[in-house]
Amino acid sequence: LNDQIKNFINRLLQNPGRPKIIVIQADHGSAMQYHYTDISRCDLGERFSILNAIYLPEKNYSGFYSDQSPVNTFRLIFGAIFSKKPDLLPERYFHSGARSRYDFLDIGDRL
């Protein structure tokens, strides 16, 4: 899959025409150190670390930051495109376990 994604991106960037914006983003990190029923046994930093790869044609990444969450990705992209400081949302992180899928726990202080 990695090779297919790389080939697709290379073909996309070599294709003349309109400038391209590419976003490849995961919804969560791996579950290598994740315990589905006991949050105290989880490596939450590993679980909440995501792939967030962004390509902008003008390469204006000045507003982006290393620990941004997905909630601000498109706000930052539009800010870069329109040279305007975006109104960012607070970085908040929530967890729900296998036994309580709709019982969200704010875990921002644990990351």
Side-chain angles (χ1 to χ4, degrees), residues 68-79:
Q68 76 185 49
S69 72
V71 72
N72 286 315
T73 297
F74 287 94
R75 290 171 180 264
L76 289 163
I77 290 171
F78 292 135

Side-chain angles (χ1 to χ4, degrees), residues 12-75:
L12 186 65
L13 293 176
Q14 291 172 359
N15 188 4
R18 291 186 288 176
K20 280 80 171 168
I21 296 172
I22 301 170
V23 178
I24 301 173
Q25 189 173 71
D27 61 341
H28 57 73
S30 76
M32 297 295 292
Q33 302 297 318
Y34 186 73
H35 194 278
Y36 285 87
T37 58
D38 186 356
I39 191 172
S40 68
R41 295 172 55 189
C42 293
D43 179 351
L44 294 172
E46 178 266 342
R47 182 68 168 171
F48 281 80
S49 297
I50 67 164
L51 170 67
N52 194 11
I54 300 166
Y55 171 83
L56 300 174
E58 300 296 324
K59 297 178 178 50
N60 178 11
Y61 304 106
S62 61
F64 293 83
Y65 46 100
S66 63
D67 59 345
Q68 76 185 49
S69 72
V71 72
N72 286 315
T73 297
F74 287 94
R75 290 171 180 264

